[in-house]
Amino acid sequence: MTKFAKALYVVSIVLVALSVLSFGIYSFLDKDVQKSETENRNLASFPEFSVEALLSGKFTAELEEYYSDQFPFRDFFISADKIRETAYACVKVGEDDLVVLEGGNNVGGGAGENLLSSIVASSDETSSSLDNASDNTVSSTTSVPNSSTVNTTVSKAPTASANTTLKNQDGVKNGLVLLKGTRAMELYGNNFSAFEKYANTINRLKAAMPDKTVYNMLIPTSVEFYSPDAYHVPKNKNQKIGINYAYGKLQNVLAINAYDSLYAHKDEYTYFRTDHHWTGLGAYYAYCEFAKIAGLVPADKQNLTYGKINGFVGSLSRYVGSNILKNNPDYLEYYMPSTVCDATVYSNASMTGGIKVSVIASRVSSSNKYLAFLSGDHAMIRVTTSADTDRSIVVIKDSFGNAFIPWLCNNYKTIYVVDPRRVTMNLPQFVNEHGINEVLCVNYTFVPTNPSYMNGFNNLLK
Amino acid sequence: MVFSSLLFVFVFLAAAISVYHIMPGIKLKNAWLILTSLVFYAWGGGLYILLLVFCVAVNYLCGNLIIKYRDKKAAKVFLVLSVMICLSLLAVYKYSGLFIATFEDLTSIKTGLTAPMLPIGISFYTFQAMSYTVDVYRGDVKERPTFWQFLMFVSMFPQLIAGPIVRYTDIIDRVADRRVTLIAFSQGLRRFLTGLAKKVLIADYSYTLVSTLLGDGKNLVFTSLLGGMVYYTFYIYFDFSGYSDMAIGMGKMLGFDFPDNFNYPYISDSITEFWRRWHMTLSTFFRDYVYIPLGGNRCGKWRQVFNLLVVWGLTGFWHGASWNFLIWGLYYFLVLVLEKFVWGKLLAKIPEVFRHIYTLLLVFFGWILFYFDDFSALGNAICVLFGAAGAPLSEPAHVTLMLNNLPFFVLAVVCCLPIVPTLKERVMRASVKHPSLNVLQALFTIIYNIIVLFACTAALVGSSYSPFLYFRF
């Protein structure tokens, strides 16, 4: 072999050695990054040492995680890797340009997300270790709502290449996301026994409050209306069948059919394309159906002050490797209630030490513009309005309820908004204490299979 | 520690190899290798490193005693003793959980016993240690190692955790004297990077498809089962052979020539050939230490069949503490016997393409037996496979997913083919006449190294912890 060829082999070794050594050394010198914007979570910090942790292997495992999380140019490498993964799966199927993506466990799972700084999720809520996508904001400043910088703590955002643990290790189902053109949708499957348990929980609540009116509204998601037939028509995937099944199990509870109206208006902007939520407009059509059952006159949205927040790239974009959703963002439309509203957020049911929020925020600093509604999920919110009525209602909800509440502000004097993942309370007691006559459980169809929500929901009777 | 982690590549390996080459003299080099290997093993936690050292010490001692009492009856006693101790370690630390569970299932008695955790690499280092004492007994070990040399041999981090199964005789001439030429180091580096790429760029991604398509094994659908098992077929090859490549590559950078472990097994045209290309160090181990001592094929047809039964039963069972692995081994016993005694000649006569299809189908079915370690899940899978479960034919989301991933599928298939060795051979022959080809090859190595290092680093950052499949071994 010629000297030149040999020299080139030296180069091939030296280049690798230099890259590895320089990155290795630099990785010790560079400062730790606290959070990752692309992953929307806090990055691991140096683990606590103890002889116990060392012997059990916990310390070294955390050290590895810490090293990976704090590797230099992390975001750059992640983007590069996403390009590779997108290339692996770049064949789009059919005239709808369908792509199926790994979606992690439960996009809207965990304990919800909010914009507020000093409200911390109550300690007995199930932690983010349950689901992969837990959006829980905690920051150390006590800033005024709507202008705080959000410091979201989300446990590991699932990436397609993550978690290649041994098979059958934790039996956790990988949710799938369907990308059709510029719309992303979480794929859905019916779990009838979960619906039955959900209905039973509401039945038990009603039985403990026999003289109160209890409503239930289950909301379908976008995959029901916008995916090809094969993805939502079969019995095991059809949300109409699931919702009707749950409603069939209710006893003495008023079931609200939001489905048909949402179906009729599906060509309007009723669901986000980049986020798993419905829009304020979708919530409006459900509100009109609720009004029919509750004996209310629904506000006419033509008469309300309209607003729009642009540049909303929602929760589902983190599962899509390409930039298609980022390049085609959503916008959030809102309609200010006709009444004067006074909303206060509390971290407990006794409603001590609250923080004022807007029912709808006209500007949201977070990338999650859906937080405009009620500033997100909180343990307890009390809204008092200038509505000309004595009616009050307590709404037990997940984040889908947030877009719905502002509509109720047109018709109720007092609205209590409860997120069972974050609050501990006895609902029948609470309802009696505060002289409330109406209870609404509003959830989207993925909730009955969300353990963190169902645990909290079942605990409302304790 | 796993090889496919940022900490390993950028900190541990970088430090281990750099300092190794700075160390003056073989004694210091060996000492450093032992030190880094023990740290590597202890990294996983627990006091299992003591178990490793115990196993090493027992086998070393027995080896010495065998030499001392050579040609006397005592030699055999010490041989049997060391083998029994190694097998007992395996029985207790690897298989006791299975034995307890099976006993409880069959007799409905709750013993209240809990099995210990599986120490990493125990299936490999016990076999390596045993091979030494047997080789000593047979007189194949020309020069006895010192205790430290023997410890180094067993505990060397490149091959400690998941092979290849290296025998002392494989490296005996490198123990006290190793030189790493420039070319050898370059080859080792490239081999390591190739192994890392196989694991991180192909195997890990295959596994995500496996887990989506097969889920928890409960609601299997025909096309998803097929697709999931196809990707499992890719996964297990790229994971295992990628790991072996990393081990061999690192060994080469340290001056060792470990035996190859995989030789493009999916291009085989018979199951017999498949097992000459798949996990080669394991099959040669069983051949040399079980099959041949039992008589091999020299004691008549029925004895040969019996010997094969023993070997394949053990091969299967070695793969994991679960009865489906034994069944997987016996499945191959059946096919191999059929190939040897029933249709081998017929097979050679059919066109080559059909031989390849035949082999792939049988291997594919084998992996189904291998994957489902729960009998009811396995039964369900087989029912779905043969259309007996009344399950729907396909799941649209999965079909779309598989179509989306056609580019990846093509990449995986291409990487199963021996394109690189074929090219290398041609280039080598041609470079006699055209020395400039050497320059081209070197240039290619530069570009390859940088691209692979970059892509693998990106993938490692993009993922988190990625343990290998056979940590259960």
Side-chain angles (χ1 to χ4, degrees):
Chain A
M1 194 179 307
T2 60
K3 275 213 173 112
F4 184 51
K6 279 207 181 136
L8 286 178
Y9 277 114
V10 172
V11 169
S12 77
I13 297 170
V14 165
L15 278 178
V16 172
L18 274 182
S19 310
V20 171
L21 285 171
S22 57
F23 261 84
I25 294 171
Y26 180 68
S27 67
F28 284 110
L29 298 176
D30 78 337
K31 257 205 240 154
D32 283 354
V33 179
Q34 208 196 354
K35 66 180 171 113
S36 160
E37 292 293 354
T38 47
E39 287 166 276
N40 213 20
R41 67 177 177 94
N42 273 342
L43 295 171
S45 55
F46 196 85
E48 254 187 71
F49 180 81
S50 70
V51 175
E52 252 188 277
L54 182 66
L55 286 179
S56 70
K58 179 162 176 268
F59 177 74
T60 50
E62 287 176 352
L63 199 60
E64 294 226 30
E65 201 184 311
Y66 163 71
Y67 188 79
S68 293
D69 269 6
Q70 298 296 343
F71 198 73
F73 309 114
R74 180 180 175 79
D75 286 347
F76 167 70
F77 282 120
I78 289 178
S79 322
D81 196 47
K82 279 210 168 121
I83 294 175
R84 173 184 64 89
E85 287 191 348
T86 311
Y88 278 175
C90 64
V91 169
K92 298 198 186 359
V93 176
E95 56 186 27
D96 292 323
D97 270 3
L98 298 174
V99 179
V100 169
L101 300 148
E102 313 275 329
N105 280 317
N106 200 333
V107 179
E113 175 178 12
N114 65 52
L115 267 176
L116 290 203
S117 47
S118 55
I119 300 287
V120 176
S122 57
S123 55
D124 47 345
E125 285 317 300
T126 43
S127 71
S128 57
S129 57
L130 256 179
D131 302 327
N132 275 350
S134 151
D135 303 324
N136 191 347
T137 307
V138 173
S139 88
S140 52
T141 57
T142 49
S143 55
V144 173
N146 302 334
S147 61
S148 60
T149 44
V150 170
N151 185 3
T152 47
T153 309
V154 180
S155 55
K156 287 207 177 60
T159 58
S161 53
N163 196 28
T164 53
T165 45
L166 302 178
K167 62 177 170 71
N168 300 330
Q169 188 147 358
D170 49 15
V172 150
K173 260 202 315 213
N174 240 346
L176 295 174
V177 169
L178 178 68
L179 181 66
K180 179 178 153 194
T182 59
R183 179 185 286 277
M185 300 165 268
E186 265 189 294
L187 290 182
Y188 174 83
N190 273 324
N191 183 330
F192 294 106
S193 72
F195 273 128
E196 190 165 348
K197 293 201 177 100
Y198 173 82
N200 284 337
T201 305
I202 300 180
N203 289 340
R204 284 201 307 276
L205 283 172
K206 168 66 180 175
M209 304 179 289
D211 52 336
K212 313 291 180 193
T213 314
V214 178
Y215 312 95
N216 177 220
M217 184 161 73
L218 278 168
I219 307 163
T221 62
S222 60
V223 69
E224 182 80 357
F225 304 126
Y226 305 105
S227 64
D229 281 355
Y231 291 83
H232 69 264
V233 167
K235 177 177 178 201
N236 64 333
K237 299 185 173 75
N238 187 276
Q239 295 184 49
K240 182 159 199 177
I241 291 177
I243 292 173
N244 286 339
Y245 181 84
Y247 283 173
K249 299 283 176 189
L250 291 172
Q251 287 160 355
N252 302 319
V253 172
L254 296 171
I256 320 274
N257 177 6
Y259 184 99
D260 289 342
S261 179
L262 285 166
Y263 178 78
H265 294 278
K266 66 179 162 68
D267 291 332
E268 300 170 43
Y269 195 13
T270 45
Y271 285 92
F272 292 113
R273 289 177 294 96
T274 68
D275 195 84
H276 63 291
H277 291 111
W278 59 353
T279 63
L281 183 65
Y284 174 72
Y285 291 119
Y287 158 70
C288 293
E289 297 307 308
F290 173 77
K292 285 182 196 159
I293 308 282
L296 302 166
V297 177
D300 186 347
K301 62 179 164 64
Q302 313 267 46
N303 300 335
L304 303 177
T305 313
Y306 170 89
K308 186 172 171 183
I309 302 178
N310 281 317
F312 176 26
V313 182
S315 57
L316 297 175
S317 64
R318 74 173 79 137
Y319 302 112
V320 177
S322 71
N323 283 327
I324 192 161
L325 294 185
K326 296 193 180 78
N327 295 337
N328 294 282
D330 280 302
Y331 52 90
L332 184 125
E333 296 178 302
Y334 60 81
Y335 300 83
M336 286 299 198
S338 57
T339 53
V340 177
C341 303
D342 192 351
T344 312
V345 161
Y346 303 98
S347 59
N348 54 60
S350 39
M351 297 188 279
T352 53
I355 291 186
K356 279 199 192 301
V357 296
S358 304
V359 167
I360 300 178
S362 51
R363 274 211 318 270
V364 177
S365 55
S366 162
S367 58
N368 180 3
K369 304 300 178 199
Y370 191 77
L371 297 175
F373 299 122
L374 303 177
S375 292
D377 303 310
H378 308 276
M380 165 74 72
I381 312 173
R382 176 168 56 198
V383 188
T384 41
T385 77
S386 60
D388 185 18
T389 174
D390 284 327
R391 287 175 81 161
S392 62
I393 186 170
V394 60
V395 181
I396 302 153
K397 55 98 226 168
D398 59 67
S399 55
F400 267 67
N402 300 357
F404 185 78
I405 301 293
W407 295 108
L408 289 183
C409 291
N410 292 296
N411 300 87
Y412 283 89
K413 183 92 192 150
T414 321
I415 307 169
Y416 298 89
V417 184
V418 169
D419 189 328
R421 296 168 295 192
R422 293 165 165 255
V423 78
T424 341
M425 69 190 295
N426 182 296
L427 185 67
Q429 230 171 49
F430 182 84
V431 155
N432 285 327
E433 240 174 85
H434 297 277
I436 308 163
N437 290 321
E438 299 171 71
V439 177
L440 165 66
C441 297
V442 54
N443 293 112
Y444 76 122
T445 45
F446 282 66
V447 150
T449 49
N450 178 340
S452 116
Y453 188 93
M454 289 308 295
N455 278 339
F457 195 34
N458 280 309
N459 284 340
L460 290 176
L461 273 169
K462 289 234 173 96
Chain B
M1 224 188 290
V2 261
F3 288 174
S4 61
S5 80
L6 291 166
L7 190 67
F8 177 81
V9 174
F10 286 88
V11 179
F12 180 87
L13 187 66
I17 294 195
S18 323
V19 174
Y20 175 90
H21 285 287
I22 296 172
M23 286 293 193
I26 192 73
K27 282 220 170 93
L28 282 176
K29 282 182 155 61
N30 285 355
W32 175 251
L33 187 53
I34 294 173
L35 179 64
T36 49
S37 301
L38 294 180
V39 166
F40 176 82
Y41 190 76
W43 187 264
L47 295 165
Y48 288 125
I49 188 159
L50 296 175
L51 207 64
L52 168 69
V53 176
F54 168 74
C55 182
V56 166
V58 160
N59 280 281
Y60 183 71
L61 198 62
C62 287
N64 284 351
L65 290 166
I66 290 171
I67 294 172
K68 183 169 180 192
Y69 294 106
R70 190 168 295 290
D71 298 328
K72 300 209 182 85
K73 209 170 186 185
K76 194 155 198 181
V77 170
F78 289 118
L79 172 70
V80 172
L81 180 68
S82 68
V83 169
M84 287 283 108
I85 290 178
C86 285
L87 291 178
S88 314
L89 283 179
L90 277 178
V92 169
Y93 284 95
K94 184 174 171 182
Y95 294 103
S96 57
L98 176 69
F99 295 148
I100 294 169
T102 308
F103 176 77
E104 287 183 352
D105 284 341
L106 291 175
T107 61
S108 305
I109 301 173
K110 290 260 178 269
T111 58
L113 294 171
T114 45
M117 272 180 55
L118 178 66
I120 311 166
I122 192 168
S123 305
F124 292 92
Y125 70 69
T126 48
F127 271 39
Q128 283 185 219
M130 275 195 290
S131 78
Y132 169 75
T133 41
V134 173
D135 284 349
V136 167
Y137 181 80
R138 288 177 177 172
D140 290 336
V141 178
K142 300 296 173 207
E143 198 179 321
R144 180 188 8 185
T146 67
F147 173 73
W148 296 108
Q149 287 170 338
F150 184 65
L151 177 63
M152 179 185 75
F153 153 67
V154 178
S155 70
M156 260 197 284
F157 72 81
Q159 42 86 84
L160 169 61
I161 299 236
I165 298 175
V166 180
R167 303 182 207 176
Y168 187 73
T169 47
D170 288 330
I171 57 141
I172 187 169
D173 51 349
R174 302 293 177 90
V175 165
D177 178 22
R178 287 192 296 287
R179 249 153 282 225
V180 186
T181 64
L182 171 73
I183 297 299
F185 190 91
S186 168
Q187 287 171 337
L189 178 61
R190 201 171 123 175
R191 185 99 187 235
F192 172 78
L193 288 173
T194 301
L196 184 62
K198 275 185 183 177
K199 166 75 178 148
V200 168
L201 300 179
I202 304 185
D204 286 354
Y205 188 84
S206 297
Y207 194 75
T208 65
L209 293 171
V210 170
S211 62
T212 302
L213 293 169
L214 298 179
D216 55 7
K218 289 199 188 127
N219 301 311
L220 280 181
V221 152
F222 180 72
T223 47
S224 305
L225 173 64
L226 286 185
M229 288 311 305
V230 163
Y231 282 108
Y232 186 74
T233 304
F234 285 135
Y235 166 72
I236 194 162
Y237 167 64
F238 287 109
D239 194 86
F240 211 161
S241 72
Y243 187 95
S244 296
D245 283 343
M246 284 194 263
I248 294 168
M250 289 188 286
K252 202 140 197 188
M253 288 194 274
L254 297 166
F256 293 100
D257 270 319
F258 295 153
D260 263 335
N261 219 4
F262 291 86
N263 184 16
Y264 300 95
Y266 290 151
I267 65 167
S268 304
D269 68 354
S270 71
I271 295 297
T272 311
E273 188 188 358
F274 177 77
W275 279 102
R276 279 193 236 116
R277 291 171 172 269
W278 180 276
H279 203 174
M280 300 186 286
T281 58
L282 183 71
S283 42
T284 53
F285 180 95
F286 278 118
R287 179 197 67 197
D288 294 342
Y289 297 104
V290 178
Y291 186 66
I292 290 178
L294 281 177
N297 57 1
R298 284 172 296 135
C299 301
K301 201 158 136 183
W302 290 110
R303 177 57 184 239
Q304 184 184 8
V305 171
F306 172 76
N307 295 343
L308 286 171
L309 178 66
V310 171
V311 164
W312 288 101
L314 289 175
T315 301
F317 200 48
W318 176 89
H319 278 77
S322 180
W323 296 117
N324 68 302
F325 294 113
L326 179 62
I327 293 181
W328 175 77
L330 294 175
Y331 162 78
Y332 275 118
F333 158 73
L334 190 65
V335 175
L336 285 166
V337 162
L338 289 169
E339 272 190 13
K340 218 184 258 303
F341 297 116
V342 177
W343 59 51
K345 295 205 182 100
L346 178 66
L347 192 63
K349 288 192 193 139
I350 68 175
E352 194 180 334
V353 64
F354 292 119
R355 287 205 298 272
H356 286 295
I357 294 174
Y358 151 88
T359 307
L360 285 173
L361 283 175
L362 285 174
V363 167
F364 176 83
F365 186 77
W367 291 131
I368 297 181
L369 297 173
F370 191 88
Y371 177 83
F372 292 96
D373 55 5
D374 175 68
F375 277 144
S376 66
L378 176 60
N380 178 51
I382 294 180
C383 286
V384 170
L385 185 68
F386 291 108
L393 186 63
S394 65
E395 162 59 60
H398 289 176
V399 171
T400 304
L401 180 71
M402 288 191 273
L403 290 172
N404 291 148
N405 280 285
L406 275 175
F408 176 71
F409 177 83
V410 169
L411 173 70
V413 168
V414 165
C415 291
C416 287
L417 304 170
I419 296 174
V420 171
T422 317
L423 271 179
K424 254 202 188 141
E425 217 198 291
R426 291 214 188 132
V427 167
M428 236 174 30
R429 271 184 276 143
S431 64
V432 172
K433 284 203 197 131
H434 306 274
S436 57
L437 280 173
N438 280 322
V439 171
L440 272 175
Q441 211 177 355
L443 273 172
F444 175 78
T445 304
I446 295 175
I447 298 169
Y448 179 84
N449 284 2
I450 289 300
I451 292 179
V452 168
L453 179 65
F454 176 76
C456 290
T457 305
L460 284 173
V461 177
S463 77
S464 57
Y465 196 60
S466 66
F468 295 118
L469 172 72
Y470 37 74
F471 269 7
R472 71 204 295 177
F473 298 159

